Amino acid sequence: MGWVTVAEARLLLESSDFRRMVSRRWRVSLALAGGLCAAYYGYILLVVLHPLLVARRIGEATTLGMPLAAGVIVFAWVLTLAYSWWAGASHDSDVVRLQRRLRR
């Protein structure tokens, strides 16, 4: 990428396309982070408020809390994959488009 002037960069940063892209990225990021916080703190609250439920045996050495905790971890992976898919399918193309616009 070649050098751009401060004025050119400022025009891009003040453009509605750039603002829309940043706004959308924040919305997606906050939604995914909110989902992760809800899952994690929901699990913690379940342990605190219903310890007998979480301690219920579902196997010889396994309690209900174990697969629930594993589910929180898997959910975090799924959210990471969702963000990666979204970034590759939508956000990255917006960034490239704005970079091309800045080069002109």
Side-chain angles (χ1 to χ4, degrees):
M1 182 171 161
W3 292 95
V4 296
T5 66
V6 172
E8 291 170 328
R10 184 171 287 137
L11 282 174
L12 178 68
L13 294 174
E14 293 173 354
S15 72
S16 62
D17 289 339
F18 182 78
R19 287 186 191 150
R20 226 181 346 266
M21 181 187 71
V22 170
S23 175
R24 189 168 12 143
R25 186 190 68 201
W26 270 107
R27 281 193 310 272
V28 169
S29 297
L30 288 175
L32 294 174
L36 182 59
C37 284
Y40 176 76
Y41 288 110
Y43 176 74
I44 296 300
L45 285 172
L46 186 65
V47 169
V48 169
L49 299 175
H50 300 288
L52 295 178
L53 174 67
V54 177
R56 184 174 294 158
R57 292 207 175 272
I58 58 171
E60 190 174 318
T62 306
T63 64
L64 183 59
M66 291 176 185
L68 289 175
V72 171
I73 293 169
V74 170
F75 185 65
W77 292 345
V78 168
L79 292 179
T80 301
L81 288 172
Y83 182 82
S84 297
W85 174 82
W86 171 80
S90 175
H91 183 68
D92 291 348
S93 61
D94 290 344
V95 170
V96 169
R97 184 176 46 78
L98 288 173
Q99 285 175 337
R100 287 184 186 145
R101 182 172 150 189
L102 183 60
R103 288 184 196 140
R104 284 188 225 144

